[in-house]
Amino acid sequence: METSTLILGAGAAGLFCAGLGPPGTVVLDHAARPAEKVRISGGGRCNFTNLGTRPESFLSRNPHFAKSALASYTARDFLALVESHRVPWHEKTLGQLFCDRSSKDIVALLLAEAERARAEVRLRATIGEVGHDGTRFTVETDRGTLRARRLVVATGGKSIPRMGATGLAYRIAERFGLPVTDTRPALVPFTFGDRFADLAGLSVPVAAQARGPAFAEAMLFTHRGLSGPAMLQASSYWREGEELAVALAPDTDWAEALREGRKAAPRQSLKAFLASRLPARLADYLAAEMELNGNLAGLSEARITALSRALSDWRLRPTGTEGYRTAEVTLGGVDTKALDSRTMEAKAVPGLYFIGECVDVTGWLGGYNFQWAWSSAAACARAL
Ligand code: FDA
């Protein structure tokens, strides 16, 4: 069978590209249902974009690569499409846009757009060898060989293998001699053995930092370690063996608060002081870990400085992360130096395109990864 354009992967990027691409495009996916990650995203409400999208919110070996695609299909453009489909939405914190009802509204939007463009979505398709016969790309499937002049690879990353993630895009890139950067799980919870098991369920505001910027968001204690938006964000910048710096109650000037407490309530115990500003279970934990005995009256200036630093620069060394099993995204991917930033086409292989998560462009938490899927798909579709 022959078609002009073949897209591998009926996820966010692949379906969106099909909706904007030429009529007759065929989309192949091995899953039983399209866009499963869209369906489960954002806790079932799909954080479909972020109004504050800027190139600085993405990690890549080449921080400039995403600029062109992000500028030519913006968060406002996707929002206009959402509104044209009458999908009710709301803004949560920090420009994050979510569906009011369900992420299924976005899946339906993507399928409706693909249908309008007369694309054909073939599910439960097993993809085998991918090659080139001199004039056409060839894709072996369980239902025969497909041939196409243009091949768009949109099969995502390695995160959540039980949902069908396979790393196929990297193998195709390598098959055509394109470089792939190291890949690792990102937006992923940290493990700490059972160190925080007694605190499981607690959520506290923090500013968390690995190598990159500090993220002032919530941190969640889990049975296995630390999660919540602040930790997921920091995980994208963390490397094995390194420490995290956590500022507890980041809006609090701890030194000032301790001095005021010493004056106003000198007999208050240090533990009670902490419990007045942090959840009691965490205050207990910290008091034991930092060996905080005595009351505020006994605090010297040197001790206030040391304590304040310990609370605003709490150093933690994770044992690891939960890995691809729960990571929201894969950091790294097809090296952007091999791709044209305006079209996502492989510079050395005309007609071959990579879009979405399989490219070495990874967004922060907060709708940025879907915006990259939409923007990279739109850039590619314009060139098809
Ligand atoms: P995507 O993974 O969507 O699609 C790839 C498709 O290729 C899949 O349909 C898969 O079945 C198919 N495929 C893979 N290998 C194949 C093979 N060998 N043969 C055939 N088909 C194959 N982002 C965001 O911006 N806001 C959010 O709210 C969330 N929430 C969220 C929650 C959870 C739990 C996860 C895991 C992830 C998120 N994300 C997110 C991230 C977001 O889901 C992700 O960045 C995009 O789905 C990436 O879109 P792609 O189209 O590139 O890959």
Side-chain angles (χ1 to χ4, degrees):
M1 194 242 164
E2 184 145 346
T3 174
S4 69
T5 305
L6 182 60
I7 300 178
L8 304 184
L15 281 183
F16 194 58
C17 188
L20 295 171
T25 295
V26 173
V27 189
L28 291 185
D29 201 297
H30 64 173
R33 291 193 289 186
E36 275 292 85
K37 274 198 190 157
V38 177
R39 187 179 60 79
I40 63 156
S41 68
R45 290 262 164 86
C46 187
N47 179 191
F48 55 81
T49 190
N50 193 305
L51 291 179
T53 298
R54 305 169 298 144
E56 293 74 27
S57 310
F58 295 82
L59 293 87
S60 171
R61 259 199 201 166
N62 175 1
H64 303 294
F65 180 81
K67 285 182 179 169
S68 164
L70 292 172
S72 49
Y73 191 89
T74 66
R76 293 270 169 206
D77 291 329
F78 192 75
L79 180 57
L81 182 68
V82 165
E83 294 198 315
S84 76
H85 280 256
R86 300 187 192 288
V87 173
W89 59 274
H90 61 277
E91 180 172 358
K92 249 183 164 176
T93 49
L94 310 166
Q96 300 170 4
L97 305 192
F98 284 77
C99 296
D100 284 354
R101 292 188 303 228
S102 158
S103 52
K104 288 181 191 161
D105 283 345
I106 301 295
V107 179
L109 174 157
L110 293 170
L111 289 172
E113 289 293 312
E115 194 180 329
R116 202 176 49 80
R118 287 185 278 131
E120 187 195 334
V121 181
R122 295 190 195 166
L123 300 170
R124 294 194 170 93
T126 305
I127 297 172
E129 276 300 300
V130 176
H132 198 273
D133 65 9
T135 42
R136 302 271 192 279
F137 291 96
T138 55
V139 177
E140 305 293 338
T141 76
D142 51 341
R143 282 167 262 175
T145 306
L146 284 171
R147 290 187 172 75
R149 268 189 291 127
R150 288 175 292 253
L151 181 66
V152 180
V153 183
T155 49
K158 296 187 203 167
S159 40
I160 323 228
R162 82 186 143 73
M163 293 201 66
T166 59
L168 175 65
Y170 315 130
R171 291 199 296 280
I172 296 176
E174 279 161 0
R175 148 78 181 79
F176 285 97
L178 307 181
V180 176
T181 71
D182 286 343
T183 51
R184 48 186 295 115
L187 299 182
V188 62
F190 289 109
T191 52
F192 278 87
D194 59 4
R195 176 170 173 185
F196 297 124
D198 290 344
L199 302 177
L202 275 187
S203 174
V204 288
V206 300
Q209 189 168 22
R211 292 175 177 206
F215 292 95
E217 295 190 57
M219 174 174 89
L220 176 71
F221 292 91
T222 72
H223 287 284
R224 289 181 296 272
L226 293 173
S227 185
M231 286 294 136
L232 298 181
Q233 301 277 34
S235 74
S236 300
Y237 292 90
W238 179 81
R239 295 291 176 276
E240 276 70 21
E242 293 181 353
E243 281 183 335
L244 300 169
V246 174
L248 293 163
D251 294 336
T252 301
D253 179 337
W254 284 103
E256 220 20 66
L258 284 162
R259 278 188 208 107
E260 273 167 24
R262 185 175 58 181
K263 204 151 107 198
R267 283 203 248 179
Q268 188 177 41
S269 72
L270 274 167
K271 196 160 95 171
F273 167 83
L274 282 185
S276 69
R277 286 160 190 273
L278 296 170
R281 266 196 292 159
L282 178 57
D284 283 351
Y285 176 91
L286 291 169
E289 187 184 86
M290 297 177 183
E291 297 176 8
L292 302 180
N293 304 310
N295 54 27
L296 295 175
L299 283 180
S300 65
E301 266 307 302
R303 186 100 170 86
I304 284 182
T305 307
L307 207 52
S308 154
R309 185 165 311 141
L311 294 165
S312 54
D313 189 16
W314 191 21
R315 292 300 172 119
L316 296 169
R317 198 183 300 278
T319 57
T321 72
E322 292 188 8
Y324 287 118
R325 190 178 61 80
T326 62
E328 279 201 13
V329 285
T330 302
L331 192 72
V334 178
D335 198 324
T336 57
K337 72 180 179 212
L339 305 177
D340 182 327
S341 62
R342 285 159 310 151
T343 60
M344 307 294 133
E345 188 173 22
K347 290 175 189 164
V349 190
L352 179 63
Y353 301 79
F354 291 85
I355 58 173
E357 193 180 322
C358 68
V359 179
D360 172 30
V361 174
T362 307
W364 289 353
L365 188 77
Y368 300 100
N369 284 298
F370 280 137
Q371 187 56 43
W372 171 245
W374 319 139
S375 295
S376 58
C380 170
R382 273 192 297 272
L384 294 175

